Each structure stands twice: as structure tokens, then as C-alpha cells.
Amino acid sequence: MRKFKALLKKDWHIHKKTIMIPFWIIAAFYLINIIFITGAYFSGNLDTMFQGNFEQVPADTISFLANSAITIFPGLLLLLFVIITTQSALNEDKRLKYELFHRSQPVSVWQMTASKFGVGVLGNFIVFLIISIINTMVLNIVLFTMDAFHLSSAMYGLLFAQIIYLKGALIIGAFAFFMSSIFESAAFFKFISIMVALNIAIQIINGIYGWHIPTPLKYFRMIINTMPAMDELSDTNFLVTDIIRVSWKEVVFSMQTLYQFIGVVVLYVGGTFIYSRKEIV
């Protein structure tokens, strides 16, 4: 365990500047909003910025949906920086010329790759979680002033968003991690480029010969999808209790989720196996 902690510290030290970038982006976002709000205050337009008619929508529904939606931008940042971090996970030591030293240490290759994958996914997710909590606090202060705040629904909305983006980070991170065992640089983007090229080629062949060969991007989108089906949500009439029930069923307790986690394990094991067989240079 002590050796694994040392590996985590080492990998955190390598990637911490990249992982912390979303904090600066969100800080800049808040600074811009503070400037606009200050300008609206002195121009006498502050009240109009926070006006809204929510009488037709229950407060618990507003709280749930708003607290889920406010994580969209930080969530996209999370997925982007998970890709950036994990697509170089198995080549960072080689780039820094540490690989021969680290591979000669009395540490198993599984501990090494678990540390790299953990920092790449969970390190970024912890940053996302902190940003989400800050955003939620600010949002719910605003909702409270508009009589649209409901505590338990707000917490459910926050939790629901965390589960969705944690699943997304694990799946995207696993793909990028596996690709880093094959490509030495820009691994995930090379993978996507190959997928797009295959997609175009298959569409051309289908168009010429009238075939119906399925495209790889279609299946890739199905694999990485972590959102509940919209037709399921439309049946809830957007009542918060029904939304929560459907969301848990679709996002957590579903066969798709089971297959996705099996896929994450397979990609991690496959990436580690390929990495362990590579010659150290």
C-alpha cells in the first residue's frame, strides 16, 4: 500500500497542473459574471436579470433539473481533461525518460497502471465534484431568492449529475487509457480519427452498393452514452419523483451500465497487458 501511495503521488505530481486547469476556467467564468452583475447593479437592471415566472413549475422539479443542468459545462471539462490525461498515461514515463527507472522498481505493473488510470479519472473527477458543489451553492442561493428552492431535490439533482459524469469519465478514460498502450501520442484523438475515416468509408460503400453495413461511430456512441432515454423521461410529465425513479433505473440499475463497467475493466486489463509486453527502451 505504501508503494501504491508513492505511485499516486508521483502521477499526481506529473498531471496536477493539467488537472487543476478547470478551476481556473470556472474562476474566469465567475469573474466575468461578477463584472456583468456589477454593471447591471449600477445601471439599475439587476432585478430584471433574476426575474422569472416559475409558478407553473413545482419548486422541487426546478431544483432537480437546475442542479443537474448546472454541471453540464464542468462535466464537459471533466471529460476533456480525462481524455488529455489518460491518453498519455502509459507513455508519460517514457516521454520524461523515467520509464526504465520506474519499471525496474519492485512494484507490479498493475499497481503502476492503476495509479495512472486512477489519477487520470478520479483526480479529474474530484476537481469536477468540488466545482459542482461550489456551483450548486451559488445556484441554490439564487433559487432561494426566487422561491424555487427545494433541498432534497437539489441534492438528488447534484448526485444524479455526479453519477452520470463519473460513468462517462470511467468509460472515456478507459478507451483513452487503452489507446495509450497502442499509440505513443494523441492516442484518443488518433482513435477517433480512425473511427471517423472508417465511418466515411463505410458510408461511401453503403451508398455505392446499397449495403447496410453498420458504422463504428454508431456503436461507439451507444457504448459511451450515460444519459437516460428521453422517451422514458417524457413519460414522467417531468414530476421530480418520477424523474428520479427513471434516472436511477436507466443510469444506475440497468444492463447497459453493467456492460459499460465490464467494458471499462476489459479496456483497463487489455491496456495494462499490452503495456506490460512492450519493450523498455
Side-chain angles (χ1 to χ4, degrees):
M1 183 60 70
R2 187 176 300 174
K3 294 176 181 178
F4 185 65
K5 288 181 180 178
L7 288 171
L8 288 173
K9 289 180 180 179
K10 183 264 295 183
D11 289 320
W12 168 253
H13 179 74
I14 291 173
H15 296 291
K16 65 180 180 180
K17 289 184 179 179
T18 302
I19 291 174
M20 297 297 286
I21 289 175
F23 274 127
W24 298 107
I25 295 174
I26 297 299
F29 173 79
Y30 274 112
L31 178 61
I32 292 170
N33 276 275
I34 289 171
I35 292 172
F36 274 111
I37 291 172
T38 303
Y41 174 79
F42 285 108
S43 64
N45 296 321
L46 184 62
D47 291 340
T48 60
M49 293 181 63
F50 295 99
Q51 284 181 351
N53 183 14
F54 300 108
E55 294 179 359
Q56 303 301 319
V57 184
D60 56 355
T61 301
I62 295 172
S63 289
F64 180 87
L65 295 177
N67 280 276
S68 300
I70 200 172
T71 62
I72 291 175
F73 179 57
L76 294 176
L77 289 178
L78 163 67
L79 299 180
L80 173 62
F81 281 92
V82 164
I83 291 171
I84 292 172
T85 307
T86 54
Q87 73 170 350
S88 62
L90 299 179
N91 298 295
E92 203 67 31
D93 287 345
K94 183 177 181 180
R95 184 182 69 83
L96 298 172
K97 304 192 184 302
Y98 293 158
E99 186 171 29
L100 182 59
F101 172 75
H102 288 146
R103 293 285 289 273
S104 64
Q105 299 301 305
V107 179
S108 75
V109 68
W110 296 98
Q111 286 181 310
M112 293 176 62
T113 57
S115 173
K116 295 174 186 297
F117 184 72
V119 169
V121 174
L122 298 181
N124 281 290
F125 178 75
I126 290 170
V127 170
F128 166 70
L129 176 61
I130 295 171
I131 290 173
S132 297
I133 292 172
I134 294 170
N135 285 351
T136 296
M137 292 172 63
V138 174
L139 169 67
N140 286 296
I141 290 172
V142 175
L143 291 178
F144 182 79
T145 63
M146 301 168 70
D147 295 324
F149 173 66
H150 190 272
L151 179 60
S152 61
S153 297
M155 294 301 100
Y156 270 121
L158 176 62
L159 177 62
F160 173 63
Q162 302 309 303
I163 293 172
I164 285 179
Y165 286 109
L166 178 58
K167 280 181 60 180
L170 285 168
I171 297 165
I172 294 291
F175 269 104
F177 178 85
F178 179 78
M179 290 302 145
S180 73
S181 69
I182 300 173
F183 303 108
E184 289 194 2
S185 61
F188 186 80
F189 295 107
K190 287 179 180 177
F191 164 68
I192 293 297
S193 298
I194 292 171
M195 293 277 283
V196 170
L198 284 173
N199 208 69
I200 293 172
I202 289 172
Q203 286 181 337
I204 292 173
I205 293 171
N206 287 343
I208 294 174
Y209 296 103
W211 296 347
H212 300 284
I213 302 173
T215 56
L217 278 179
K218 175 183 177 181
Y219 290 103
F220 180 68
R221 286 196 299 267
M222 290 172 59
I223 292 169
I224 66 174
N225 179 39
T226 61
M227 295 294 292
M230 288 307 298
D231 57 342
E232 291 279 352
L233 287 180
S234 63
D235 293 338
T236 65
N237 294 319
F238 290 97
L239 295 174
V240 70
T241 53
D242 291 337
I243 293 174
I244 292 171
R245 174 182 53 79
V246 169
S247 299
W248 278 104
K249 184 182 74 172
E250 290 281 316
V251 176
V252 182
F253 303 108
S254 67
M255 290 303 297
Q256 182 184 10
T257 297
L258 177 61
Y259 295 147
Q260 287 170 332
F261 277 109
I262 291 173
V264 168
V265 173
V266 170
L267 289 169
Y268 167 73
V269 171
T272 299
F273 179 79
I274 294 172
Y275 174 70
S276 67
R277 294 297 185 271
K278 279 189 173 181
E279 183 180 356
I280 304 174
V281 294

